[in-house]
């Protein structure tokens, strides 16, 4: 593993660097070495600062955005994975795909409470089982991307195919 200047290790060997739901999900993948983790300065968890400090290209980093889709008084949540070089088309593609009348980024307090993860570290691994994980085609095709670990003090490296293969994953053209 050689993304940036980070020291990567098998995530299953370092559950202390993962949010609890993420550690459970990594343990349930049954792919030793399929997910790597690296410790970082939590003050540098935000994508731009992280990439600059640790020599990771924005095109090697993927962001997980939690959206709240509303229709007929019901709110459903979904995770959207896009490369850091792009933006998720929340009000177009994602809203239509989720059949929502109204869609927005989930409020921080809701996202944290519902996922059991820290804001700024939310990741598709370990999300509630009924949440769709919408993966942009560019992320799915990527050999290895850096994503959150559920906490701000570390990052994960995974293949795009692992993300596309998650139980609730759907690969779409999400970015604009």
């Amino acid at each position: 593993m050689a993304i940036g200047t980070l020291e990567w290790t098998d995530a299953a060997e370092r559950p202390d660097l993962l949010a609890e739901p993420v550690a459970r999900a990594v343990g349930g993948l049954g792919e030793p070495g399929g997910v790597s983790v690296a410790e970082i300065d939590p003050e540098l968890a935000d994508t731009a600062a992280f990439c600059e400090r640790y020599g990771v290209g924005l095109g090697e980093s993927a962001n997980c955005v939690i959206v709240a889709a509303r229709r007929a008084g019901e709110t459903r949540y979904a995770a959207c994975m896009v490369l850091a070089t792009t933006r998720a088309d929340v009000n177009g593609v994602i809203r239509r795909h989720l059949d929502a009348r109204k869609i927005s980024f989930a409020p921080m307090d809701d996202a944290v409470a519902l996922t059991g993860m820290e804001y700024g570290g939310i990741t598709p691994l370990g999300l509630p089982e009924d949440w769709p994980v919408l993966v942009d085609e560019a992320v799915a095709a990527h050999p290895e991307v850096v994503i959150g670990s559920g906490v701000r003090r570390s990052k994960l490296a995974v293949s795009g195919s692992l993300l596309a293969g998650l139980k609730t994953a759907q690969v779409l053209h999400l970015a604009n």
Side-chain angles (χ1 to χ4, degrees):
M1 167 81 47
I3 298 177
T5 60
L6 297 158
E7 292 184 34
W8 297 97
T9 188
D10 186 337
E13 296 175 10
R14 292 296 310 269
D16 59 303
L17 291 177
L18 310 173
E20 192 268 326
V22 178
R24 275 196 321 268
V26 167
L29 288 174
E31 288 184 43
V35 179
S36 298
V37 66
E39 191 166 6
I40 66 166
D41 179 342
E43 297 298 316
L44 300 173
D46 294 330
T47 304
F50 162 77
C51 287
E52 182 179 330
R53 167 61 180 86
Y54 294 104
V56 174
L58 289 172
E60 296 176 292
S61 184
N63 292 325
C64 182
V65 177
I66 304 299
V67 295
R70 293 174 200 64
R71 184 174 201 70
E74 177 189 357
T75 300
R76 293 169 290 129
Y77 294 91
C80 306
M81 295 297 303
V82 294
L83 292 177
T85 55
T86 62
R87 295 174 56 116
D89 184 5
V90 174
N91 288 310
V93 173
I94 296 168
R95 182 185 59 77
R96 285 189 302 275
H97 181 76
L98 295 174
D99 192 29
R101 179 169 287 280
K102 182 175 175 159
I103 194 162
S104 61
F105 296 108
M108 178 176 63
D109 292 344
D110 292 352
V112 169
L114 294 168
T115 64
M117 301 180 203
E118 294 176 5
Y119 195 75
I122 294 175
T123 188
L125 300 176
L127 289 176
E129 291 183 12
D130 60 340
W131 286 19
V133 176
L134 309 180
V135 181
D136 185 65
E137 295 165 335
V139 173
H142 211 287
E144 199 148 49
V145 291
V146 177
I147 63 174
S149 65
V151 295
R152 293 181 61 86
R153 68 182 182 278
S154 65
K155 293 286 185 178
L156 298 178
V158 300
S159 68
S161 62
L162 184 143
L163 295 174
L166 293 173
K167 188 168 108 176
T168 62
Q170 300 167 39
V171 178
L172 304 164
H173 181 76
L174 300 177
N176 58 14

